[in-house]
Amino acid sequence: MYIDQLSLTSFRSYDQLDLPLRPGVTVFVGPNGTGKTNIVEAIGYLASLSSHRVSSDAPLVSFDAAQAMIRARLVRASQATTLELELNPGRANRARINRANPVRARDILGLCRTVLFAPEDLALVKGDPGSRRRFLDELIVALVPRHAATRTEYDRVLKQRNALLKSARAAGRFTSAHEATLDVWDQHMAAAGAELTAARLAALDRIQPHLQAAYRDLTDGSKAVSAFYRSTLLGPVEEDGSAAPGPDPRDLLGLDTGQLTDRYLAAFAAARRREVDRGTSLVGPHRDEVELMLGRAPAKGYASHGETWSYALALRLGSYYLLADDDERPGSGPILILDDVFAELDAARRERLAGIVTGAEQVLVTAAVGDDIPGALAGEQITVVPGGVRESVR
Ligand SMILES: Nc1ncnc2c1ncn2[C@@H]1O[C@H](COP(=O)(O)OP(=O)(O)OP(=O)(O)O)[C@@H](O)[C@H]1O
Ligand SMILES: [Mg+2]
């Protein structure tokens, strides 16, 4: 798929930007801070309803403006759709599809598929488990948009259950009324947690071969990568993701949501004393970890700087391969966005990456220095200047 027209209103540094785009490779060049990432961030937002840089919407709205607007004309399998998204920080965002009546923002999930790689993605490998859980959750929503609701429901139940555990702890004693209420929340959390866990396990299982292929394609292939889901169902996982060696996490893969629900109920029962003492939920997908292995060692703590980059990039390229595989209709592959990636790679990895991405229907690349872009990615070059774009060279 590709976007052939992008308009931004009061988005980040742009009062108004109207930008025609083409399929194939487009490179945005310009000095630091001119607004290259802002453009691709808007496109990524349209696909995932979240920014790769900030967790709230407020920074996306221009200084002095109350709301921002992202509009795009998307062509997927030769069919054009106009998407409009209104960002209202502090209030519900709204969307319109083909200029029809406004709908909830989340109703546009799944229409535009992008895979965005940015320097922030180093955190996927080096950062805390939350970054990896987010990666996986974004992937499950990209694959099955209704899982956006699965996430929301789990977060809602978790919040309530934590509030109960916290207030019981503050009260200093755990009464039978607390007990009864907690039993009810256990049921809700087991059901919601099972749904989310099943989706994550399935997505991780599906991406695995693509992740391995992507890492092989990017490097000389001398080291293999693999990813394991470490579930709190199989034993305690600390907040930093560490855990004692336990049963094989793949054992969970064969379970359906009913069986996972039962496993959660049993795990909650076993953890109840600890949870009451700590005043918080210790078992559930909010505490799970995705362990990334490089060769024989965990990538976190062992991988070199360059390997960390390649690993993070392979996670995104793996998503790209998987999404392309998921919808094989011609013209339906995801839009690939590479924000500031070439400057960090050595010449060999640049060439390899360029070779891989030229197969995508639309590739949007940003770079402060045009010379960092390998020759194989020759295409449209757009010079970004503060507040707009200056020229477009073919
Ligand atoms: N809400 C906002 N309102 C107005 N300007 C903003 C807003 N948010 C960010 N900016 C401005 O946008 C600019 C950053 O743009 P962007 O991150 O796209 O730069 P870039 O071209 O990608 O730079 P680099 O090459 O350093 O990555 C900054 O100058 C910042 O002050
Ligand atoms: Mg940038």
Side-chain angles (χ1 to χ4, degrees), residues 45-190:
Y45 195 100
L46 213 48
S48 66
L49 300 182
S50 63
S51 153
H52 68 286
R53 293 198 283 191
V54 287
S55 55
S56 79
D57 289 346
L60 306 179
V61 178
S62 302
F63 305 142
D64 305 325
Q67 61 170 210
M69 189 79 99
I70 306 170
R71 282 192 201 86
R73 209 178 87 106
L74 178 76
V75 183
R76 180 174 187 168
S78 341
Q79 201 188 341
T81 309
T82 306
L83 299 177
E84 258 182 68
L85 192 62
E86 188 185 282
L87 303 183
N88 302 306
R91 286 186 299 125
N93 295 339
R94 292 197 306 174
R96 291 204 309 161
I97 302 167
N98 289 331
R99 307 186 196 288
N101 291 333
V103 291
R104 288 174 311 180
R106 82 173 191 227
D107 292 339
I108 68 167
L109 282 170
L111 294 176
C112 177
R113 279 181 161 184
T114 66
V115 171
L116 189 157
F117 177 81
E120 285 79 359
D121 287 329
L122 282 184
L124 290 177
V125 181
K126 291 206 300 193
D128 59 27
S131 317
R132 288 176 288 282
R133 288 193 295 262
R134 251 191 321 278
F135 168 79
L136 211 44
D137 288 346
E138 260 178 41
L139 187 61
I140 67 173
V141 174
L143 287 166
V144 185
R146 74 171 166 79
H147 281 316
T150 306
R151 277 258 22 187
T152 314
E153 170 63 6
Y154 183 76
D155 289 346
R156 183 188 72 84
V157 174
L158 173 65
K159 221 165 143 184
Q160 303 268 13
R161 190 173 184 275
N162 277 343
L164 174 68
L165 285 165
K166 196 172 162 198
S167 76
R169 185 165 182 256
R173 60 196 194 95
F174 193 66
T175 64
S176 56
H178 285 136
E179 188 109 42
T181 320
L182 191 53
D183 284 344
V184 174
W185 284 115
D186 280 6
Q187 297 286 340
H188 289 307
M189 195 147 108

Side-chain angles (χ1 to χ4, degrees), residues 5 39 53 72 74 86 94 98 130 148 214 218 221 281 291 303 334 362 370:
Q5 178 69 39
I39 294 174
R53 293 198 283 191
L74 178 76
E86 188 185 282
R94 292 197 306 174
N98 289 331
L218 276 172
S281 300
E291 186 164 11
Q362 187 169 48

